[in-house]
Amino acid sequence: LGGVRQTHGHEMTDSMMMDSEGGVSQSTDAPRNRRGRGHDKEMEMDDDRGGRFESIPENDSGAPGPAKSVEGWIVLVTGVHEEAQEDDLHEHFADYGEIRNMHLNLDRRTGFVKGYALIEYETKKEAQAAIDGANGSSMLDQTLEVSFAFSKGPINK
């Protein structure tokens, strides 16, 4: 018989088998259909479906130090008082350059500031000025610590 046979009114192919109860089951030798992404053999990492990520060009020296994020130079501010507002931080850090973005995260349970903020500047010069000028300064009776949020290796101080 080549390929297809009739059994109990059902057509069976070579990849199907009869189980012990007379039912028809798929053979384990046959390829299985898989759901989801990542099973397509033709998919390569360079095609339009995925595998490409936005990246930052490497600096010429490759030396350890501050690193730029995709959007700009981000400064991490710790020691922020729990009752501080965005306006307080904006006034404190606007003198060093134009603030492009600011994140002041709140605790969901209490509604107070978690104690840190992320401030984004356009240029490294502005971010460095903020670090030099605001690190160790006081805001709402708390001492702020300011540094770059991202770095390549350790930052030598």
Side-chain angles (χ1 to χ4, degrees), residues 6-7 89 96 140 144:
Q6 285 287 109
T7 307
L89 279 166
Y96 306 111
L140 299 176
L144 300 178

Side-chain angles (χ1 to χ4, degrees), residues 75 77 89-99 119-138 144 146:
V75 172
V77 182
L89 279 166
H90 200 281
E91 286 176 20
H92 198 83
F93 286 91
D95 295 339
Y96 306 111
E98 182 183 347
I99 296 174
I119 301 173
E120 179 185 335
Y121 289 99
E122 176 91 33
T123 66
K124 183 178 179 181
K125 182 179 177 183
E126 292 171 334
Q128 188 65 57
I131 291 169
D132 295 340
N135 191 29
S137 66
S138 180
L144 300 178
V146 186

Side-chain angles (χ1 to χ4, degrees), residues 101-121:
N101 199 358
M102 180 185 309
H103 288 279
L104 187 62
N105 294 328
L106 304 178
D107 187 304
R108 287 187 188 137
R109 189 174 51 84
T110 64
F112 289 115
V113 174
K114 284 190 169 185
Y116 69 93
L118 296 166
I119 301 173
E120 179 185 335
Y121 289 99

Side-chain angles (χ1 to χ4, degrees), residues 58 100 145:
E58 293 290 327
R100 290 180 53 190
E145 291 184 25

Side-chain angles (χ1 to χ4, degrees), residues 46-67:
D46 292 337
D47 70 4
D48 292 336
R49 292 182 278 180
R52 289 184 184 235
F53 297 97
E54 212 170 334
S55 64
I56 306 292
E58 293 290 327
N59 62 6
D60 294 335
S61 66

